[in-house]
Structures are given as structure tokens and as C-alpha cells.
Amino acid sequence: MSNMQLIESVLMGIPLIASAGFSFLNCNSFFRLYKQKEEPILLHISLIFISAGIIFFCILFAFLIPDIPPINFFLLANVFVWTIFLEVGNAYFSAFLNCTNAFEKYTLPIFGGAIGMMIFTFINPDIYLFTNPVRFELFLYLASFISVIYLLVRAYKRVNLLIENFEGEEIKLMLLTQRICSLGAFTLVYTFVSVFCWLIFKGIEQLDLLMNTWNVFDWLVYINVILYLTILLGAFISSKKIDFTKIDLLSLLNILDSPKTM
């Protein structure tokens, strides 16, 4: 193995494996809580983390199996990107079901449409991706992105309105929720901007995971892996510091779903 190959293996392989690992560890933690408390929001959070883990594994396989065009793995990963958006929406409605506005009620169908369109794109990339990129699905993906950012910001603000009603372990959980919402929104914006610039200046058909061919836009996209690894690691460490046995989750959700968060 050459020095360049070794560097590529370290810079690509280790962060991707670590990101996938912490995704699954977070999923396991929240799924165990779901089995104990049987609150749907915990299941949706678990699905967010497992979808993230699948995304990182898809990118890892694209790096480890060069004989298969990387675009195949990336299109499959994108199916789970929109799945994350859908589960963010489901988690949001689990917490704020009775105090949502008209726009919020349309977000789930938008996310579902984005998933369906990406599945078609994965099956037939020549038809849905390469022939004419300015199509209806582009606007659907943009609407999904705007919607998930909106929900994350709204969740942050609604928790902030009620933060004084919590104490002890509950306030730790609410502060962690706010931190994830704010960091998640920031990171998604960075992802959108960096990937969009990459597509404009390089093009999806030029996708290559060999670092010796990368330009500045490839490196800007790569930073996403480090950002998400940091968030996943932080979420895992922070959640382990919370004693969920001391949290009445049903009561907490009732407070969040109060009219004050309108």
C-alpha cells in the first residue's frame, strides 16, 4: 500500500466507520428506551440514527469497492437522507401534535414524496438524474430541505419557550434537544451549500473518492463527515449523562404540546 493509499484509508475509512458506529450506538440507546417507555418519539429518533448509520456505510462501501461506480452507493445513501427528514418530521409531530400550523402539516407528504422520487432515481439514474437535472424532483428536494430546517428551528424555539418548566434530568434532555436542533440545522445548511457547489463546479458524473483527484469542493464536502461525527459523538456522550429513569416522558411531552408553544 502506497503512502497516498494509506492516507486515503485513514482519512476516509476511520471517520466513516466511527460515524456509522456512533449512529448505531445512539440508535441502540434510544431503541432500548423506546422498549421501556413505549413512546413513539423514541422510535422515530432511533430510526433517524439507524438511517444515518446506513448512509455512512454506503459511503464507506463506495470507498472500499471501487469496481462499483460510487454513484450507485451515493444514490442509495440519499434514500436514507430523505428518510431522516421524514423521521425528524415524525419526531416533531410526536412532540407537538396538537399545536402545529398549516404549513407543518404538509411537511410529511413532502418528505414522503422526496423518498419516493429518490427511490426512482436510484433505480433509473439515467432517466431521473443525468438526462435533465432541472426537473420537478429538484424542487421537491428543495422543499424537503427547507421544511426540515423549518421544523428544527421551530422545535428549538418551542422548547425554549418552556425551558423554565423543566428541572433536573428533564432540563438536561431539553438542553440536549436544543443543541442537536441548532447544530443539526447548521450542519444541514452547510451540507446543502457544499454539495450544491460541488455539483455546480464538478458534476455528479465526476464523483470520485480518490483524494489525489480532489479539488477544493471535494474537501468542502468531506468536512461534512467530520461535522456529523462530532455531533453523533456529542449526542452519545451527552445522552449517557442523562438518567432517563428520572424522567416522566409522557408528562414532559404533554408540557411540550401545550398551547404556550403555538
Side-chain angles (χ1 to χ4, degrees), residues 2-21:
S2 67
N3 290 336
M4 186 60 197
Q5 289 175 320
L6 179 60
I7 293 172
E8 288 178 347
S9 298
V10 171
L11 291 179
M12 287 294 294
I14 292 179
L16 288 171
I17 292 172
S19 297

Side-chain angles (χ1 to χ4, degrees), residues 245-261:
T245 62
K246 297 180 179 179
I247 296 177
D248 184 344
L249 192 57
L250 180 59
S251 175
L252 183 149
L253 291 174
N254 286 334
I255 294 173
L256 289 179
D257 205 23
S258 67
K260 188 175 179 180
T261 61

Side-chain angles (χ1 to χ4, degrees), residues 8-237:
E8 288 178 347
S9 298
V10 171
L11 291 179
M12 287 294 294
I14 292 179
L16 288 171
I17 292 172
S19 297
F22 283 114
S23 295
F24 291 126
L25 286 173
N26 279 304
C27 172
N28 180 63
S29 296
F30 281 94
F31 187 72
R32 289 173 62 186
L33 285 171
Y34 167 70
K35 290 194 294 184
Q36 295 171 11
K37 297 181 179 293
E38 298 183 344
E39 288 293 341
I41 190 172
L42 296 172
L43 178 60
H44 296 309
I45 293 173
S46 300
L47 292 174
I48 290 171
F49 283 121
I50 197 171
S51 296
I54 293 171
I55 291 170
F56 290 117
F57 265 125
C58 286
I59 301 172
L60 180 64
F61 290 150
F63 174 69
L64 295 176
I65 312 176
D67 294 336
I68 300 177
I71 187 63
N72 294 338
F73 291 107
F74 275 79
L75 290 177
L76 179 59
N78 267 316
V79 174
F80 292 95
V81 169
W82 306 115
T83 301
I84 288 176
F85 286 16
L86 177 64
E87 292 307 320
V88 168
N90 283 327
Y92 181 88
F93 282 105
S94 295
F96 307 107
L97 180 62
N98 296 316
C99 52
T100 54
N101 58 40
F103 174 77
E104 292 165 1
K105 293 177 181 178
Y106 288 103
T107 56
L108 294 186
I110 292 173
F111 297 146
I115 293 172
M117 188 59 68
M118 182 47 67
I119 291 173
F120 282 123
T121 304
F122 171 68
I123 295 173
N124 293 300
D126 292 337
I127 297 175
Y128 291 97
L129 190 64
F130 300 134
T131 56
N132 182 12
V134 185
R135 299 166 61 108
F136 168 75
E137 58 263 30
L138 181 63
F139 299 99
L140 184 60
Y141 298 149
L142 181 60
S144 296
F145 170 76
I146 293 173
S147 296
V148 77
I149 296 298
Y150 172 85
L151 293 182
L152 289 171
V153 172
R154 286 286 286 173
Y156 180 95
K157 290 182 176 179
R158 287 180 164 179
V159 170
N160 198 55
L161 284 173
L162 296 166
I163 199 74
E164 61 186 21
N165 294 285
F166 303 107
E167 59 183 14
E169 300 304 302
E170 291 181 349
I171 199 167
K172 290 182 184 179
L173 178 59
M174 291 299 96
L175 291 173
L176 175 59
T177 300
Q178 283 190 309
R179 198 174 305 125
I180 290 176
C181 286
S182 58
L183 290 174
F186 167 80
T187 309
L188 285 174
V189 170
Y190 178 84
T191 300
F192 178 82
V193 173
S194 61
V195 172
F196 184 77
C197 290
W198 184 90
L199 289 172
I200 293 297
F201 291 100
K202 191 166 184 179
I204 196 166
E205 293 181 85
Q206 302 301 318
L207 178 62
D208 192 344
L209 295 179
L210 297 178
M211 290 182 175
N212 60 349
T213 66
W214 282 10
N215 60 27
V216 64
F217 296 106
D218 294 286
W219 286 104
L220 289 175
V221 173
Y222 169 78
I223 291 174
N224 282 284
V225 179
I226 307 303
L227 289 174
Y228 287 110
L229 172 57
T230 303
I231 293 173
L232 290 164
L233 174 59
F236 179 73
I237 293 173

